[in-house]
Amino acid sequence: MASPDTSKTVKLERYNSYVRRIYFTKLLHSSSKLLFPATIIIALLIILFFALNYPPLSDNSPPHHHGHALLLSTSLFSSAGRGVSLEKQLRHSATPRRPNGFTVLVTGAAGFVGFHCSLALKKRGDGVLGLDNFNDYYDPTLKRDRQKLLQKHQIFIVEGDLNDTPLLHKLFDVVPFTHVLHLAAQAGVRYAIKNPHSYVASNVAGFINLLEVCKSANPQPSIVWASSSSVYGLNTDVPFSESDRTDQPASLYAATKKAGEEIAHTYNHIYGLALTGLRFFTVYGPWGRPDMAYFFFTKDILQGKAIDVYETQDEKEVARDFTYIDDVVKGCLGALDTAEKSTGSGGKKKGPAQLRVYNLGNTSPVTVGRLVSILENLLNTKAKKHVIRMPRNGDVPFTHANVSLANKDFGYNPSTDLVSGLRKFVKWYVSYYRIQSRVKKEIRFNNAPYGDSR
C-alpha cells in the first residue's frame, strides 16, 4: 500500500511558523515603542504620589519631632552646592584655635549641659561641632535661643538624630573628631511613665548607634558621656561612691543609664573605645531645663501658683545634691583632658583601652524645703506650698555624691553653694523672661555678685 503524501502538510506548517515569527517580531517592535513612554508615565505618577503625600520640609520651619529631624538631616548634603557650603561650615566650627586643641563632637549641644560645655570648649580654643534633634520634651524655644547664642560664638549645630546612621557617618567623614562629648539623652524620671519608648530609642539605641560609628572611625575618638546619679537607685549607703552597687534602678530612666554603662563596658572590651561615664547630680543654673524643680518652682512662685513639695513615705524631707552648672562644666572638661586615646582601628581592638566612671556632684545635699526658702528670699515672694507624699513614680528620696575619685584624677572641686548658684539662676531667669517686678529691685539692692552666667 502506498504511503500518504505529506509534502503539502509540511509546507503548510512551515508557512504557519513563518507567519507566526513575522507577527511576533512586529508585536515586539510595537511593544518596545510603547515601553519607554509607559515607563515615563509610571515614574511621573510615582513622583506625583510622593509629592502629594510627603511634602518637602521648609528650611524656614525647624522641625521639633524626631522623624522630621531625620528627614531634614539626611537631606542636608544632597545638593552639590549646598553640601559643599555645609561641609565648609562644619569644618570651620570644628577647627581648634589653640595648639593641640581638641576637635569635639558635642551631642545634645542645644541642651542645658551641652550648651554650656560647647561655649567653654570654644572659649579655650577647641573646635566644637554640635548635634541636636531639637525634640519637644520641653519648649524647643529655649533650645533655639541657646542655638542662636552658640552661633554667635561660631559654634554650628547639625540638626539630626543619633539614630540617623548615614548622617553620623557623614559627620565623621567630614570632620576627624578627636573626642566625643555625648550629652544627648531623653531626660527626666516621671516622663518615662508617659513615654517609655523614647528612653530606649535615645538612651540605649541612640548610644549604641553612636558607638557603632565611633568604633569604625579612623582614628577612633575618645568618648566622655553623661550617665546619671539615678543609677544608684535604691542604694542607701551615703555618700554615693562609684564602687557602690547600681543594680537596683528605681526608674526606667535610671535603668537606661545603667544599661548605657554596661554598653560602654562592652564596646570598650571588644573594640578598644576609650570611654568615661559621668554621673551627674541634679545640675542647675542659668539656661537650665524647665522640667527641673528649681525652674518651675521659680515660675510658679512668681505667678502666685501653689507648688508641691514632696516628702518621703515615712514623712522625711526629700534632699538633693544640687550641682551648679559651672562646676559640672569643669568636670566635663577635666574628663576630656584626661581621656586617653582609643586603641582600636578599623573596628578592631589593638590593646587595652581606658574605661572610667565618675560622680560629678556638689557633696552637700540640701532639702527641697531649704531650696524653696532660698527662692522665696531671692524672689521676695512667699511660696504657696502643698506638702505631699512622694508618688511611687521612680524618684528617690535623696542623693549625695562622693567626688573624691574625680578630684584625684582631674582635680574636680565644686565651689558653688546653692544660695550663690540660685542667685545667678534667678538673675538670668528674670532677664530672659523679661520679668519686671520687685525681683530685679531686690537683686540690685542686695548688690550680690553673679559671676559669668554664660
Side-chain angles (χ1 to χ4, degrees):
M1 183 176 178
S3 59
D5 185 8
T6 59
S7 60
K8 290 183 179 181
T9 303
V10 172
K11 289 180 180 180
L12 182 61
E13 288 178 355
R14 288 177 179 173
Y15 175 77
N16 289 337
S17 178
Y18 172 77
V19 170
R20 284 195 297 269
R21 286 199 301 271
I22 295 296
Y23 177 78
F24 181 78
T25 301
K26 290 181 177 180
L27 180 62
L28 186 63
H29 181 67
S30 61
S31 298
S32 64
K33 289 183 177 180
L34 293 172
L35 184 61
F36 180 75
T39 302
I40 295 298
I41 292 172
I42 292 171
L44 290 173
L45 289 173
I46 293 173
I47 292 172
L48 180 62
F49 172 81
F50 278 97
L52 291 174
N53 288 277
Y54 303 96
L57 289 169
S58 167
D59 289 340
N60 296 323
S61 301
H64 299 325
H65 300 286
H66 293 258
H68 287 176
L70 281 169
L71 287 171
L72 181 63
S73 64
T74 52
S75 66
L76 285 173
F77 301 92
S78 59
S79 169
R82 187 184 180 193
V84 171
S85 174
L86 179 59
E87 289 185 16
K88 186 177 180 180
Q89 277 185 294
L90 302 188
R91 291 192 182 98
H92 177 76
S93 180
T95 300
R97 306 298 176 189
R98 66 181 176 99
N100 301 316
F102 298 158
T103 299
V104 188
L105 173 65
V106 180
T107 70
F112 175 33
V113 180
F115 163 75
H116 284 280
C117 285
S118 295
L119 285 176
L121 287 167
K122 197 73 172 183
K123 183 177 180 180
R124 74 177 196 176
D126 291 318
V128 180
L129 181 64
L131 176 68
D132 205 292
N133 67 2
F134 292 91
N135 67 33
D136 55 4
Y137 167 64
Y138 59 80
D139 185 6
T141 302
L142 186 58
K143 300 177 185 180
R144 293 294 176 185
D145 288 340
R146 295 185 190 127
Q147 180 188 28
K148 291 175 184 177
L149 188 54
L150 291 176
Q151 286 175 338
K152 291 181 179 178
H153 289 81
Q154 300 183 24
I155 300 172
F156 186 84
I157 297 182
V158 175
E159 189 165 346
D161 196 277
L162 286 172
N163 290 295
D164 187 346
T165 306
L167 174 65
L168 290 183
H169 277 296
K170 182 64 179 180
L171 295 182
F172 276 80
D173 287 341
V174 174
V175 178
F177 296 109
T178 60
H179 295 75
V180 172
L181 181 57
H182 175 48
L183 301 172
Q186 177 57 65
V189 170
R190 299 169 197 167
Y191 183 63
I193 296 175
K194 298 179 181 178
N195 190 1
H197 298 291
S198 65
Y199 290 79
V200 178
S202 180
N203 302 357
V204 179
F207 189 29
I208 290 175
N209 199 52
L210 176 64
L211 294 178
E212 280 290 306
V213 175
C214 288
K215 83 175 188 188
S216 60
N218 191 17
Q220 291 177 338
S222 303
I223 303 165
V224 175
W225 69 283
S227 183
S228 170
S229 61
S230 67
V231 300
Y232 291 109
L234 303 179
N235 174 47
T236 56
D237 294 331
V238 291
F240 298 161
S241 299
E242 291 86 349
S243 58
D244 290 346
R245 64 183 299 181
T246 55
D247 58 350
Q248 296 178 303
S251 66
L252 178 62
Y253 170 68
T256 60
K257 285 299 186 179
K258 173 60 178 176
E261 293 188 358
E262 301 304 320
I263 290 166
H265 179 276
T266 302
Y267 275 79
N268 168 269
H269 173 68
I270 298 176
Y271 302 110
L273 287 174
L275 284 141
T276 301
L278 302 176
R279 295 172 177 170
F280 296 153
F281 281 72
T282 316
V283 188
Y284 74 100
W287 293 98
R289 282 172 28 208
D291 65 314
M292 299 292 286
Y294 74 94
F295 199 113
F296 60 75
F297 279 177
T298 299
K299 177 183 177 181
D300 290 345
I301 291 172
L302 287 173
Q303 293 179 355
K305 296 180 180 178
I307 60 174
D308 292 333
V309 178
Y310 291 142
E311 64 179 11
T312 65
Q313 294 296 322
D314 53 357
E315 299 184 357
K316 294 181 180 179
E317 289 193 278
V318 173
R320 291 287 182 270
D321 200 344
F322 295 100
T323 314
Y324 188 64
I325 182 61
D326 286 2
D327 291 326
V328 167
V329 169
K330 291 175 184 176
C332 290
L333 269 59
L336 286 169
D337 289 339
T338 55
E340 297 176 0
K341 292 183 178 180
S342 294
T343 62
S345 178
K348 295 182 179 180
K349 183 177 181 178
K350 302 296 183 180
Q354 186 183 53
L355 180 66
R356 308 180 295 174
V357 64
Y358 296 102
N359 290 336
L360 293 188
N362 194 47
T363 74
S364 302
V366 177
T367 65
V368 175
R370 172 62 178 154
L371 167 72
V372 174
S373 296
I374 295 171
L375 287 175
E376 287 176 324
N377 290 332
L378 291 171
L379 300 173
N380 197 24
T381 304
K382 193 69 176 175
K384 300 175 181 178
K385 292 176 283 189
H386 286 162
V387 179
I388 59 176
R389 297 285 177 86
M390 177 182 288
R392 299 184 185 277
N393 57 12
D395 267 339
V396 294
F398 60 87
T399 59
H400 184 185
N402 178 345
V403 300
S404 58
L405 185 61
N407 176 266
K408 178 175 72 74
D409 286 0
F410 48 83
Y412 176 72
N413 184 29
S415 59
T416 309
D417 63 86
L418 188 58
V419 174
S420 300
L422 285 177
R423 185 180 290 118
K424 295 176 184 180
F425 166 74
V426 169
K427 180 187 178 184
W428 168 82
Y429 185 94
V430 298
S431 174
Y432 179 79
Y433 289 103
R434 303 177 186 276
I435 297 173
Q436 301 295 332
S437 69
R438 61 180 177 273
V439 175
K440 281 192 174 182
K441 294 178 181 178
E442 182 71 14
I443 291 175
R444 286 198 298 267
F445 179 76
N446 288 339
N447 196 27
Y450 298 108
D452 179 14
S453 64
R454 282 191 284 193

